[in-house]
Amino acid sequence: MRLVFMGPPGAGKGTQAKAVAEKYGVTHVSSGDIFRTEIAGNTELGGQIKAYLDSGALVPDEITVKAVVGRLGAARGADGWLLDGFPRTQAQAEALDEALEDDGEKLSAVIYLEVDTEIIVKRMAGRRVCPNCGRSYHTEHIPPKVEGTCDACGTRLITRDDDKPETVRQRLATYQQATTPLIEYYDRRGLLIRTDGTGTPDQVRARLFEQLKEVECG
Ligand code: AMP
């Protein structure tokens, strides 16, 4: 299966993408995770992109396409992949189309997680991540067993810089402007699956798995 996961920042894409990748045994490729790993590792690429992530702006297409599409090759021969957070612009979507065509492959579906802006702003204020192992939590919905501490490795949890309110607003505006047109792009090609992203992560996952049954059969 080859899936693209779309949705505004804070829609729960990362959590659901991991669950779907696990269920179908496909490689989870998250552009945001790739970039954060580069920044944490102080690599040359990390240095080039840090300012974009800190301000909530999109990393330029050329850098993004190189960083993400390059990894899809590694998943060749496996059961497929799931792209989380990519493409986010028309140019990225076209680069993905080209890479698929070169490999003689097709997208199975594009999942669009729909969540209202007001709910997103509330959700993001409570989001916490572990700076060591990357596990994510929410003060209300997915609290750690011990407040402020990672269940898996005991590290003190942090709020991601780009989850701070000013940056969240910037990220939502960027999403609206650059990424919303892609929803129509994929809808026109009959690939779009709209999933209601409200409710608990378990409820959303159940809904999503039900909708994906059709893709499996198709
Ligand atoms: P995410 O974790 O998907 O919300 O991504 C975090 C940040 O990484 C975004 O706010 C952007 O700065 C950058 N980023 C992630 N994916 C992309 C993409 N496909 N195109 C451009 N920038 C991206």
Side-chain angles (χ1 to χ4, degrees):
M1 243 204 286
R2 285 174 211 41
L3 299 170
V4 165
F5 244 76
M6 290 182 59
K13 258 186 308 137
T15 307
Q16 300 302 336
K18 274 186 204 123
V20 171
E22 216 165 277
K23 179 175 161 80
Y24 290 101
V26 296
T27 309
H28 177 204
V29 180
S30 155
S31 47
D33 284 352
I34 292 172
F35 290 150
R36 280 184 288 275
T37 304
E38 295 286 340
I39 292 171
N42 276 320
T43 64
E44 197 187 327
L45 174 59
Q48 285 169 16
I49 60 178
K50 187 174 183 321
Y52 296 105
L53 272 88
D54 285 350
S55 68
L58 290 181
V59 173
D61 286 331
E62 204 185 324
I63 299 178
T64 305
V65 167
K66 218 161 127 196
V68 179
V69 175
R71 311 214 174 201
L72 300 183
R76 227 178 263 139
D79 287 336
W81 39 252
L82 180 161
L83 276 171
D84 168 5
F86 178 95
R88 260 171 153 101
T89 65
Q90 184 70 30
Q92 292 176 16
E94 285 167 13
L96 176 62
D97 286 344
E98 272 171 38
L100 283 163
E101 209 174 302
D102 287 348
D103 289 344
E105 290 169 347
K106 277 192 163 51
L107 274 183
S108 311
V110 176
I111 296 156
Y112 173 42
L113 264 191
E114 292 183 293
V115 183
D116 195 73
T117 305
E118 282 309 301
I119 298 176
I120 289 176
V121 172
K122 244 176 138 182
R123 275 187 186 178
M124 284 170 103
R127 198 147 89 159
R128 301 288 180 273
V129 290
C130 173
N132 182 43
C133 71
R135 205 155 152 172
S136 40
Y137 298 87
H138 192 279
T139 47
E140 263 177 64
H141 310 298
I142 323 168
K145 292 194 186 92
V146 178
E147 201 193 320
T149 307
C150 180
D151 292 349
C153 68
T155 307
R156 187 102 204 117
L157 300 177
I158 57 162
T159 301
R160 247 167 59 180
D161 279 346
D162 60 354
D163 278 346
K164 302 203 165 128
E166 344 48 279
T167 317
V168 168
R169 270 191 286 277
Q170 176 58 47
R171 289 170 70 198
L172 283 167
T174 304
Y175 177 83
Q176 199 66 31
Q177 198 193 8
T179 312
T180 307
L182 288 188
I183 294 161
E184 206 190 310
Y185 178 74
Y186 287 122
D187 201 12
R188 258 186 277 132
R189 291 162 58 185
L191 286 168
L192 197 74
I193 297 179
R194 291 174 188 271
T195 301
D196 174 4
T198 56
T200 66
D202 284 351
Q203 287 168 336
V204 178
R205 191 181 57 224
R207 241 175 251 148
L208 195 50
F209 282 4
E210 198 52 42
Q211 288 175 300
L212 280 170
K213 280 186 188 160
E214 279 179 37
V215 179
E216 266 177 85
C217 300

Short mmCIF file of all heavy atoms in Angstrom, two decimals, residues 9-10 13 30-33 35-36 49 52-54 56-61 64 68 84-89 92 127 160 162 171, ligand 1:
data_model
loop_
_atom_site.label_atom_id
_atom_site.label_comp_id
_atom_site.label_asym_id
_atom_site.label_seq_id
_atom_site.Cartn_x
_atom_site.Cartn_y
_atom_site.Cartn_z
N PRO A 9 -1.80 20.85 10.88
CA PRO A 9 -0.96 20.52 12.03
C PRO A 9 -1.85 20.35 13.25
O PRO A 9 -2.78 21.13 13.46
CB PRO A 9 -0.04 21.73 12.18
CG PRO A 9 -0.46 22.74 11.19
CD PRO A 9 -1.44 22.13 10.26
N GLY A 10 -1.62 19.34 14.04
CA GLY A 10 -2.42 19.14 15.25
C GLY A 10 -3.65 18.28 15.02
O GLY A 10 -4.42 18.02 15.94
N LYS A 13 -2.27 13.54 12.88
CA LYS A 13 -1.68 12.79 11.76
C LYS A 13 -0.62 11.80 12.21
O LYS A 13 -0.63 10.65 11.83
CB LYS A 13 -0.99 13.76 10.81
CG LYS A 13 -1.74 14.08 9.58
CD LYS A 13 -0.89 14.95 8.65
CE LYS A 13 -0.33 16.14 9.33
NZ LYS A 13 0.91 16.64 9.24
N SER A 30 7.88 10.28 7.85
CA SER A 30 7.37 11.57 8.30
C SER A 30 8.37 12.66 7.98
O SER A 30 9.50 12.64 8.48
CB SER A 30 7.11 11.51 9.81
OG SER A 30 7.16 12.80 10.37
N SER A 31 7.96 13.61 7.13
CA SER A 31 8.89 14.69 6.76
C SER A 31 9.29 15.50 8.00
O SER A 31 10.45 15.86 8.16
CB SER A 31 8.27 15.59 5.69
OG SER A 31 6.95 15.95 6.04
N GLY A 32 8.33 15.77 8.88
CA GLY A 32 8.65 16.53 10.10
C GLY A 32 9.69 15.81 10.96
O GLY A 32 10.64 16.41 11.45
N ASP A 33 9.53 14.47 11.09
CA ASP A 33 10.49 13.70 11.89
C ASP A 33 11.87 13.70 11.23
O ASP A 33 12.89 13.81 11.91
CB ASP A 33 10.03 12.24 12.04
CG ASP A 33 8.91 12.09 13.05
OD1 ASP A 33 8.59 13.08 13.74
OD2 ASP A 33 8.33 10.98 13.15
N PHE A 35 13.15 16.04 9.38
CA PHE A 35 13.77 17.35 9.62
C PHE A 35 14.21 17.51 11.07
O PHE A 35 15.30 18.01 11.35
CB PHE A 35 12.79 18.47 9.24
CG PHE A 35 12.55 18.58 7.75
CD1 PHE A 35 11.35 19.05 7.25
CD2 PHE A 35 13.54 18.23 6.85
CE1 PHE A 35 11.13 19.16 5.88
CE2 PHE A 35 13.34 18.33 5.48
CZ PHE A 35 12.13 18.80 5.00
N ARG A 36 13.37 17.07 12.01
CA ARG A 36 13.75 17.23 13.43
C ARG A 36 14.98 16.40 13.76
O ARG A 36 15.84 16.83 14.55
CB ARG A 36 12.56 16.86 14.34
CG ARG A 36 11.54 17.98 14.44
CD ARG A 36 10.42 17.66 15.42
NE ARG A 36 9.52 16.64 14.92
CZ ARG A 36 8.48 16.89 14.11
NH1 ARG A 36 8.22 18.11 13.73
NH2 ARG A 36 7.72 15.91 13.70
N ILE A 49 17.73 24.12 7.67
CA ILE A 49 16.26 24.12 7.79
C ILE A 49 15.73 24.59 9.14
O ILE A 49 14.55 24.83 9.28
CB ILE A 49 15.69 22.71 7.51
CG1 ILE A 49 16.26 21.69 8.51
CG2 ILE A 49 15.99 22.28 6.09
CD1 ILE A 49 15.73 20.29 8.34
N TYR A 52 13.34 27.59 9.44
CA TYR A 52 11.99 27.38 8.88
C TYR A 52 11.10 26.68 9.91
O TYR A 52 9.97 27.08 10.14
CB TYR A 52 12.04 26.52 7.62
CG TYR A 52 12.80 27.15 6.48
CD1 TYR A 52 14.07 26.72 6.14
CD2 TYR A 52 12.23 28.18 5.75
CE1 TYR A 52 14.77 27.30 5.09
CE2 TYR A 52 12.92 28.77 4.70
CZ TYR A 52 14.19 28.32 4.37
OH TYR A 52 14.87 28.89 3.34
N LEU A 53 11.63 25.64 10.53
CA LEU A 53 10.82 24.90 11.51
C LEU A 53 10.51 25.79 12.71
O LEU A 53 9.39 25.79 13.21
CB LEU A 53 11.51 23.60 11.95
CG LEU A 53 11.16 22.41 11.04
CD1 LEU A 53 12.12 22.32 9.87
CD2 LEU A 53 11.11 21.12 11.81
N ASP A 54 11.51 26.55 13.16
CA ASP A 54 11.30 27.40 14.34
C ASP A 54 10.21 28.43 14.11
O ASP A 54 9.48 28.80 15.03
CB ASP A 54 12.60 28.11 14.73
CG ASP A 54 13.58 27.16 15.41
OD1 ASP A 54 13.17 26.03 15.75
OD2 ASP A 54 14.75 27.54 15.60
N GLY A 56 7.72 28.10 11.85
CA GLY A 56 6.46 27.51 11.36
C GLY A 56 6.29 27.66 9.86
O GLY A 56 5.22 27.39 9.33
N ALA A 57 7.35 28.10 9.16
CA ALA A 57 7.27 28.22 7.70
C ALA A 57 7.61 26.88 7.06
O ALA A 57 8.20 26.01 7.71
CB ALA A 57 8.24 29.29 7.22
N LEU A 58 7.26 26.73 5.79
CA LEU A 58 7.59 25.50 5.08
C LEU A 58 9.05 25.52 4.65
O LEU A 58 9.57 26.56 4.25
CB LEU A 58 6.72 25.33 3.84
CG LEU A 58 5.24 25.02 4.07
CD1 LEU A 58 4.53 24.86 2.73
CD2 LEU A 58 5.04 23.78 4.92
N VAL A 59 9.70 24.39 4.71
CA VAL A 59 11.06 24.23 4.19
C VAL A 59 10.92 24.30 2.66
O VAL A 59 9.94 23.78 2.11
CB VAL A 59 11.62 22.85 4.64
CG1 VAL A 59 12.95 22.56 3.99
CG2 VAL A 59 11.73 22.81 6.17
N PRO A 60 11.88 24.96 1.95
CA PRO A 60 11.73 25.06 0.50
C PRO A 60 11.55 23.70 -0.17
O PRO A 60 12.11 22.70 0.28
CB PRO A 60 13.05 25.72 0.06
CG PRO A 60 13.52 26.45 1.27
CD PRO A 60 13.05 25.66 2.45
N ASP A 61 10.78 23.71 -1.27
CA ASP A 61 10.43 22.46 -1.95
C ASP A 61 11.64 21.63 -2.35
O ASP A 61 11.64 20.40 -2.19
CB ASP A 61 9.60 22.77 -3.21
CG ASP A 61 8.18 23.18 -2.86
OD1 ASP A 61 7.69 22.73 -1.80
OD2 ASP A 61 7.58 23.96 -3.61
N THR A 64 13.07 19.80 0.55
CA THR A 64 12.10 18.82 1.08
C THR A 64 11.99 17.60 0.17
O THR A 64 12.02 16.46 0.64
CB THR A 64 10.71 19.50 1.23
OG1 THR A 64 10.87 20.66 2.04
CG2 THR A 64 9.71 18.57 1.87
N VAL A 68 12.85 13.79 1.31
CA VAL A 68 11.77 12.83 1.50
C VAL A 68 11.71 11.77 0.40
O VAL A 68 11.68 10.57 0.69
CB VAL A 68 10.39 13.54 1.62
CG1 VAL A 68 9.28 12.53 1.80
CG2 VAL A 68 10.41 14.53 2.77
N ASP A 84 3.76 10.91 5.74
CA ASP A 84 3.09 11.70 6.78
C ASP A 84 3.67 13.12 6.74
O ASP A 84 4.83 13.33 7.07
CB ASP A 84 3.38 10.97 8.11
CG ASP A 84 3.03 11.76 9.35
OD1 ASP A 84 2.47 12.85 9.22
OD2 ASP A 84 3.33 11.25 10.44
N GLY A 85 2.86 14.08 6.28
CA GLY A 85 3.32 15.47 6.23
C GLY A 85 3.93 15.86 4.89
O GLY A 85 4.43 16.97 4.74
N PHE A 86 3.89 14.99 3.95
CA PHE A 86 4.41 15.25 2.61
C PHE A 86 3.49 14.55 1.61
O PHE A 86 3.14 13.39 1.85
CB PHE A 86 5.83 14.69 2.47
CG PHE A 86 6.44 14.87 1.10
CD1 PHE A 86 7.25 15.96 0.83
CD2 PHE A 86 6.17 13.96 0.08
CE1 PHE A 86 7.80 16.14 -0.44
CE2 PHE A 86 6.71 14.14 -1.19
CZ PHE A 86 7.53 15.22 -1.44
N PRO A 87 3.10 15.15 0.49
CA PRO A 87 3.43 16.50 0.05
C PRO A 87 2.59 17.57 0.75
O PRO A 87 1.50 17.30 1.23
CB PRO A 87 3.10 16.46 -1.44
CG PRO A 87 1.99 15.45 -1.55
CD PRO A 87 2.28 14.43 -0.50
N ARG A 88 3.14 18.78 0.77
CA ARG A 88 2.42 19.90 1.37
C ARG A 88 2.25 21.04 0.37
O ARG A 88 1.60 22.04 0.71
CB ARG A 88 3.21 20.44 2.56
CG ARG A 88 2.72 19.96 3.93
CD ARG A 88 3.75 20.41 4.90
NE ARG A 88 3.42 20.68 6.25
CZ ARG A 88 3.67 19.84 7.25
NH1 ARG A 88 4.07 18.62 7.02
NH2 ARG A 88 3.51 20.23 8.49
N THR A 89 2.83 20.93 -0.81
CA THR A 89 2.66 21.95 -1.85
C THR A 89 2.42 21.24 -3.18
O THR A 89 2.72 20.05 -3.31
CB THR A 89 3.92 22.83 -2.01
OG1 THR A 89 4.98 21.99 -2.49
CG2 THR A 89 4.35 23.49 -0.72
N GLN A 92 5.57 19.75 -4.59
CA GLN A 92 5.94 18.48 -3.92
C GLN A 92 5.06 17.33 -4.44
O GLN A 92 5.53 16.21 -4.65
CB GLN A 92 5.81 18.60 -2.41
CG GLN A 92 6.83 19.53 -1.78
CD GLN A 92 6.62 19.70 -0.28
OE1 GLN A 92 5.92 18.93 0.37
NE2 GLN A 92 7.23 20.73 0.29
N ARG A 127 -0.07 19.53 23.91
CA ARG A 127 0.81 18.51 23.34
C ARG A 127 2.19 18.56 23.99
O ARG A 127 2.76 19.62 24.19
CB ARG A 127 0.93 18.78 21.84
CG ARG A 127 1.43 17.61 21.08
CD ARG A 127 0.82 17.57 19.72
NE ARG A 127 1.63 18.34 18.77
CZ ARG A 127 1.55 18.15 17.46
NH1 ARG A 127 0.72 17.27 16.96
NH2 ARG A 127 2.28 18.87 16.66
N ARG A 160 7.05 21.22 22.06
CA ARG A 160 7.85 21.52 20.87
C ARG A 160 7.80 23.02 20.60
O ARG A 160 6.74 23.63 20.74
CB ARG A 160 7.23 20.78 19.67
CG ARG A 160 8.10 19.70 19.13
CD ARG A 160 7.34 18.82 18.18
NE ARG A 160 6.77 19.52 17.04
CZ ARG A 160 6.07 18.90 16.08
NH1 ARG A 160 5.86 17.61 16.15
NH2 ARG A 160 5.57 19.56 15.07
N ASP A 162 7.61 24.62 17.97
CA ASP A 162 6.61 25.02 16.98
C ASP A 162 5.17 24.69 17.40
O ASP A 162 4.24 24.85 16.64
CB ASP A 162 6.95 24.48 15.58
CG ASP A 162 7.01 22.97 15.50
OD1 ASP A 162 6.91 22.32 16.55
OD2 ASP A 162 7.15 22.45 14.38
N ARG A 171 1.57 28.20 11.47
CA ARG A 171 1.53 26.91 10.78
C ARG A 171 0.15 26.64 10.17
O ARG A 171 0.04 26.10 9.08
CB ARG A 171 1.91 25.78 11.74
CG ARG A 171 3.38 25.80 12.11
CD ARG A 171 3.69 24.85 13.24
NE ARG A 171 3.59 23.46 12.86
CZ ARG A 171 3.46 22.46 13.73
NH1 ARG A 171 3.38 22.70 15.03
NH2 ARG A 171 3.40 21.22 13.31
P1 AMP B 1 5.14 18.41 11.05
O1 AMP B 1 5.75 17.63 12.15
O2 AMP B 1 4.68 17.55 9.89
O3 AMP B 1 4.06 19.35 11.50
O4 AMP B 1 6.32 19.33 10.43
C1 AMP B 1 7.02 20.26 11.23
C2 AMP B 1 7.68 21.33 10.36
O5 AMP B 1 8.58 20.72 9.41
C3 AMP B 1 6.71 22.14 9.49
O6 AMP B 1 6.14 23.22 10.22
C4 AMP B 1 7.66 22.63 8.38
O7 AMP B 1 8.49 23.69 8.83
C5 AMP B 1 8.54 21.42 8.16
N1 AMP B 1 7.96 20.48 7.17
C6 AMP B 1 7.48 19.21 7.39
N2 AMP B 1 7.03 18.66 6.25
C7 AMP B 1 7.21 19.58 5.28
C8 AMP B 1 6.91 19.63 3.88
N3 AMP B 1 6.34 18.58 3.26
N4 AMP B 1 7.24 20.75 3.20
C9 AMP B 1 7.84 21.79 3.80
N5 AMP B 1 8.12 21.84 5.12
C10 AMP B 1 7.82 20.75 5.86
#
